[in-house]
Structures are given as structure tokens and as C-alpha cells.
């Protein structure tokens, strides 16, 4: 396992040539670069993989590039962090279903023990259905449920929200809440309990509720939160949204609903956080439900990743809220629902076994989805090195200068890598300056990712 991961690390570094920076590195005098987050699952062990996922059923199989890994392995987490930084992800929203869960143990043993944790931020994505839900998928907030919620939140505040790598928005720790739209009963009291419990621990929490779906927006519910989002707009009864998105109702319907929720949220001074998916197919884990598929290709002759590329532009970047520009990706590694962008072992397309594929091509896509993301959100990236040995320079400030004016500033990560957001650096010629002006490089930023570049400090 160690040799495999070392080889993959080297391959990824050569291919990408860039590293991830903490969001303290994202200051932009002329505007705010967006935060790019991805939902991240730490439930993987062999038993979890054995529950089933589409890739295992395909011929040839499409499996993670790291194999069927263990989330509790910090080496796996380190590679995930490396990929995130290289390709434009600023933080992971970590799936967490409560105290004493295996996910809580795996989070501590894996992601939080990764040697390069300082290169990313994380937030908790509270899995309210798993923590509080009924077998019918309902969340009835009675005395028992509210007390369980209070205890979970108190634990989160004590164990995670003060962590130095925890995501803060406007100085406030962010907490994502799953499917708040299905909360019934004393939901106002439940949200108040969250805020009050964390306030007692000194946390002025920034609550992001999963309110956006196909219902009519409720101003009263939306105003309970600091921001609202949609985890996933896939809805199995809406069969007209299945199939290639170029010919289905999916993209247009989601855009219309996003704009509706965005208007209502803005009226209440609540931020709107768009989310995008690369595709959807849960037939590997829920075969009896016979759900429709959203292929990852826009049309039969489109490129791999074309749905993700279109969604990033039209459903994501175009709908960012300038007050708090966040964009969520569903997901980094939810393999059960085939919404992952985590690298897969390369392989040819297959439509074998239509009970799983519905005759849509599925393939081992390699690094393709990370590359699509990078082209959409990263302007230029590279490494700052020093001396004849080209040793990486950590934590150094790198400035992008245009016409004598500093346009954006970032800091290098633990490997000397840096990246500038596309929103911060529109296409033009820039001078990258670091190490008190001793390292300089002129770059032409184009319509897609520029790099990798090497900035050498003498």
C-alpha cells in the first residue's frame, strides 16, 4: 500500500504541478475568490465497500485509483488532500452522523492525522437523517431528537469547531446540516438549540442548511440559517430529468429552482450556496429501486466530464453569492451514488449489463473530473522553490501583479505549491512575485488553467 500511494503521489504531482493553499491565502483586493468545497465521506472500510457500488459491478470494473481504501488510513487522506489542493478544492465538508460513530473514529484516525492537514480546511456535514431520522426517512423533532441533537452539537463544539484547520466564514465556524428541508415538529427550537449550545462554548456558528430542493421556498425556514444549499437535486420520481442532460429537463429545471431560492434567500439576507454533481447512478447499491440515471456525458458524443463542466459554469459559478461566494461539489468520494470526482483507475467505456448502466457508457475516467474542476476555477498554479536543490518554500506569500498593482495574494503550502483562483485573475499578463521580490515570473493567464509554473527564489 505504501509503495502504491507513493507512486500515485508522484504521478499526481507531475501531472498537476501545483498544490493547495489554505484559504487564508485567498485575499483578493479587487474581489473575493470563491471557496470551493466538496462533500467528503470517511465511512470507508471493507464492510462499507461491500455494501455495493456501481463501479464494482461494471465490466471492466471502475474502482478508486487508490483501490478500496480505508478512510482511517492517514496516507489515503494525505493523497486526497494533495489532489484537493492541486485541483482547486479548498475544504472538505466531512460526513458525520454523531458521537461514537465509526465515522467519528475514522475522521480522527485518517483525515485529521494526515501529515499535510495544514494544506486544507474541513467542516462538519451533520448527517441528520442518520443521526435523528426514522426508518421512513423522516426527522421528527421531539424531546428525544432535540436532546440527541444538542448532545451531538455540544460534542462538535468541544472536539472540532475550535480546530485550527476548521473552516471559518467571516470568522465563524461553518456547520453544514443535511436535509433540513425535511425537519418536522419543533424545527425552530432545534435550530435555536444548535446556536445556543455552541454560543455557550464561544462559537458563533455559521449554519448552512440543506433547504434547496423541489418544494416552494419558505422565507420563514430560510431565515433560520446563515446560508442555504442543495446537497443534490436528483429526485427519483422526476424521470423527465433522467438520461443525457442535453436532451432532458435536468439542467434547466435546476437552474430555475436555484434562481428561485437565491432570490428568496437574498431578500432575507441569507447567502445562497450552489452545488453541482458530475452525474448520478445509485443502481449499484439500490438495484431494487430501479432509479433513473443521469450520465456524466451531456450527450452520446460529448466528452467525459461534460455534464460536470457545464454544471460548474451554469449552476455553480454563474450563481455564486458575492456576499459569501461558496460553491459545493457533490461529491468528492460518494461512490455508492456515483457522484464522486475522486480519481478512478483508467479504463475503456462499457455499457455491459444494462441493469446497472441503462445502456449509458461508464468508464474509468482517471483524473478527468479534477482536471475539469481545475480548468473552471484555477487560473494559474505552480511551486515556489529555492536554491540549486529547488527546495520547496513553505508559507511564503506570492503576489500576482498587473500593471504595477497587486491583483491577488496567496501563500504556498507544505510542498511550496500555490494556486490563484480564476475569479481573482481574469485572462491577462501577470507578474508573479515572491521572496521579497527575488523570485519573479511573467505568466499569460488564458481561458483555462495555466501551469504548472515554477517560481525560483535565488
Amino acid at each position: 500500500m505504501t509503495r502504491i500511494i507513493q507512486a500515485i503521489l508522484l504521478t499526481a504531482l507531475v501531472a498537476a504541478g501545483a498544490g493547495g493553499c489554505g484559504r487564508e491565502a485567498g485575499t483578493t483586493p479587487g474581489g473575493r475568490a470563491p471557496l470551493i468545497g466538496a462533500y467528503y465521506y470517511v465511512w470507508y472500510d471493507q464492510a462499507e465497500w461491500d455494501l455495493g457500488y456501481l463501479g464494482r459491478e461494471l465490466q471492466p470494473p471502475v474502482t478508486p485509483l487508490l483501490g478500496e481504501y480505508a478512510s482511517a488510513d492517514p496516507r489515503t487522506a494525505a493523497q486526497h488532500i494533495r489532489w484537493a489542493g492541486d485541483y482547486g478544492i479548498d475544504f472538505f465538508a466531512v460526513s458525520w452522523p454523531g458521537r461514537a460513530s465509526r465515522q467519528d473514529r475514522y475522521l480522527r484516525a485518517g483525515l485529521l492525522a494526515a501529515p499535510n492537514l495544514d494544506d486544507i480546511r474541513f467542516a462538519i456535514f451533520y448527517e441528520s437523517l442518520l443521526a435523528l431520522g426514522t426508518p421512513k426517512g423522516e426527522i421528527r423533532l421531539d424531546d428525544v431528537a432535540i436532546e440527541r441533537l444538542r448532545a451531538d452539537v455540544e460534542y462538535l463544539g468541544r472536539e472540532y469547531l475550535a480546530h485550527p484547520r476548521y473552516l471559518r466564514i467571516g470568522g465563524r465556524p461553518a456547520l453544514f446540516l443535511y436535509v433540513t428541508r425535511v425537519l418536522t415538529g419543533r424545527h425552530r427550537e432545534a435550530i435555536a438549540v444548535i446556536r445556543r449550545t455552541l454560543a455557550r462554548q464561544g462559537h458563533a456558528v455559521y449554519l448552512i442548511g440543506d433547504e434547496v430542493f423541489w418544494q416552494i421556498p419558505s422565507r420563514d425556514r430560510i431565515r433560520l440559517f446563515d446560508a442555504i444549499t442543495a446537497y443534490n437535486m436528483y429526485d427519483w420520481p422526476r424521470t423527465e430529468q433522467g438520461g443525457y442532460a442535453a436532451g432532458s429537463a435536468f439542467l434547466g429545471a435546476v437552474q430555475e429552482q436555484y434562481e428561485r431560492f437565491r432570490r428568496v434567500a437574498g431578500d432575507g439576507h441569507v447567502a445562497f450556496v450552489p452545488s453541482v454533481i458530475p452525474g448520478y447512478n445509485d443502481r449499484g447499491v439500490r438495484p431494487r429501486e430501479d432509479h433513473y440515471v443521469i450520465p456524466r456525458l451531456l450527450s452520446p458524443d460529448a466528452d467525459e466530464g461534460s455534464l460536470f463542466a457545464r454544471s460548474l459554469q451554469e449552476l455553480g459559478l454563474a450563481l455564486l453569492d458575492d456576499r459569501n461566494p461558496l460553491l459545493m461539489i457533490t461529491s468528492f468520494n460518494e461512490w455508492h451514488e456515483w457522484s464522486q470526482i475522486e480519481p478512478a483507475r483508467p479504463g475503456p467505456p462499457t455499457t455491459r449489463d444494462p441493469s446497472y448502466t441503462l445502456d449509458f457508457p461508464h468508464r474509468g475516467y482517471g483524473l478527468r473530473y479534477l482536471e475539469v474542476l481545475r480548468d473552471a476555477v484555477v487560473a494559474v498554479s505552480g511551486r515556489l522553490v529555492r536554491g540549486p536543490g529547488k527546495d520547496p518554500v513553505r508559507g511564503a506569500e506570492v503576489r500576482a501583479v498587473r500593471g504595477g498593482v497587486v491583483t491577488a495574494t496567496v501563500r504556498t503550502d507544505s510542498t511550496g505549491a500555490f494556486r490563484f483562483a480564476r475569479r481573482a485573475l481574469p485572462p491577462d499578463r501577470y507578474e508573479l512575485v515572491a521572496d521579497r521580490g527575488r523570485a519573479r515570473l511573467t505568466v499569460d493567464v488564458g481561458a483555462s488553467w495555466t501551469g504548472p509554473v515554477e517560481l525560483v527564489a535565488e
Side-chain angles (χ1 to χ4, degrees):
M1 180 65 172
T2 301
R3 290 182 180 178
I4 292 173
I5 289 181
Q6 286 174 342
I8 292 171
L9 274 165
L10 179 60
T11 301
L13 285 171
V14 170
C21 308
R23 288 310 300 179
E24 68 273 17
T27 57
T28 307
R32 299 184 62 188
L35 279 170
I36 308 299
Y39 293 104
Y40 184 75
Y41 290 84
V42 292
W43 55 27
Y44 290 110
D45 51 25
Q46 198 55 55
E48 185 70 31
W49 291 112
D50 288 345
L51 289 177
Y53 66 103
L54 177 71
R56 184 186 274 188
E57 307 299 334
L58 299 177
Q59 293 298 326
V62 180
T63 57
L65 189 54
L66 298 179
E68 292 182 351
Y69 53 77
S71 294
D73 185 348
R75 297 170 299 174
T76 294
Q79 178 59 67
H80 289 164
I81 293 169
R82 175 81 271 129
W83 276 325
D86 287 344
Y87 291 94
I89 296 171
D90 299 303
F91 70 92
F92 288 142
V94 181
S95 169
W96 188 87
R99 300 155 291 144
S101 64
R102 77 179 192 279
Q103 288 94 316
D104 186 67
R105 298 194 306 273
Y106 293 176
L107 169 59
R108 292 173 179 275
L111 184 69
L112 297 191
N116 56 348
L117 179 62
D118 283 349
D119 294 342
I120 200 169
R121 292 196 179 274
F122 77 98
I124 292 296
F125 174 42
Y126 184 63
E127 293 274 11
S128 50
L129 271 180
L130 293 176
L132 309 172
T134 69
K136 294 183 178 180
E138 301 170 335
I139 304 176
R140 298 171 183 167
L141 291 166
D142 54 16
D143 286 345
V144 173
I146 288 178
E147 173 54 27
R148 186 179 304 130
L149 174 65
R150 185 205 62 76
D152 278 346
V153 168
E154 184 178 62
Y155 179 89
L156 289 175
R158 183 176 67 249
E159 300 296 329
Y160 295 119
L161 270 62
H163 192 285
R165 299 312 300 168
Y166 198 85
L167 175 69
R168 306 183 79 84
I169 299 174
R172 300 164 61 188
L175 178 60
F176 289 77
L177 304 175
Y178 183 48
V179 290
T180 56
R181 54 188 165 78
V182 307
L183 298 178
T184 61
R186 291 147 51 191
H187 65 279
R188 290 179 176 276
E189 179 182 346
I191 300 302
V193 164
I194 294 174
R195 293 192 184 278
R196 186 167 58 247
T197 300
L198 292 175
R200 288 171 179 163
Q201 297 175 315
H203 303 300
V205 67
Y206 188 92
L207 281 183
I208 303 172
D210 176 15
E211 281 291 308
V212 183
F213 204 55
W214 297 106
Q215 77 278 17
I216 297 172
S218 167
R219 285 179 170 80
D220 290 341
R221 290 183 69 96
I222 288 172
R223 287 174 178 171
L224 295 174
F225 305 98
D226 300 289
I228 58 168
T229 192
Y231 172 76
N232 188 348
M233 294 298 285
Y234 180 95
D235 188 21
W236 64 265
R238 298 176 182 270
T239 55
E240 74 280 3
Q241 295 182 8
Y244 293 112
S248 80
F250 178 70
L251 288 173
V254 172
Q255 184 174 11
E256 182 179 349
Q257 193 70 344
Y258 275 8
E259 289 174 344
R260 183 177 294 122
F261 270 89
R262 190 171 185 261
R263 287 193 298 271
V264 175
D267 290 344
H269 305 288
V270 175
F272 175 78
V273 180
S275 68
V276 298
I277 61 172
Y280 188 93
N281 185 341
D282 66 357
R283 300 173 73 84
V285 70
R286 304 182 187 106
R288 294 182 180 178
E289 280 78 355
D290 194 27
H291 290 161
Y292 68 84
V293 170
I294 299 179
R296 291 172 171 240
L297 282 63
L298 274 173
S299 62
D301 58 349
D303 293 334
E304 182 73 26
S306 50
L307 172 62
F308 188 46
R310 175 77 64 84
S311 298
L312 280 168
Q313 296 299 332
E314 297 182 359
L315 304 180
L317 298 172
L319 297 176
L320 287 173
D321 191 319
D322 286 334
R323 293 168 299 179
N324 263 321
L326 272 72
L327 169 61
M328 295 302 300
I329 297 166
T330 306
S331 61
F332 185 82
N333 62 338
E334 220 294 27
W335 287 83
H336 298 311
E337 295 182 346
W338 206 242
S339 69
Q340 79 287 345
I341 64 170
E342 179 183 0
R345 295 185 187 277
T350 181
T351 58
R352 296 177 190 175
D353 197 342
S355 65
Y356 289 106
T357 66
L358 295 187
D359 289 326
F360 296 115
H362 294 69
R363 60 170 57 87
Y365 52 79
L367 297 171
R368 176 60 182 161
Y369 289 88
L370 292 182
E371 292 168 347
V372 169
L373 175 64
R374 179 192 61 197
D375 283 349
V377 303
V378 179
V380 59
S381 60
R383 297 180 72 234
L384 173 63
V385 297
R386 176 179 288 124
K390 295 189 175 181
D391 297 323
V393 182
R394 307 181 179 197
E397 184 177 88
V398 182
R399 301 184 301 279
V401 181
R402 179 177 57 180
V405 177
V406 176
T407 302
T409 302
V410 300
R411 287 190 180 277
T412 59
D413 74 358
S414 62
T415 67
F418 61 87
R419 58 178 161 85
F420 287 91
R422 175 156 302 285
R423 205 177 194 216
L425 267 61
D428 206 337
R429 175 165 288 188
Y430 297 87
E431 186 176 31
L432 305 184
V433 182
D435 201 37
R436 300 181 181 180
R438 289 173 295 202
R440 293 177 176 269
L441 180 68
T442 299
V443 295
D444 291 312
V445 173
S448 62
W449 168 69
T450 299
V453 301
E454 187 174 69
L455 191 56
V456 180
E458 299 300 334

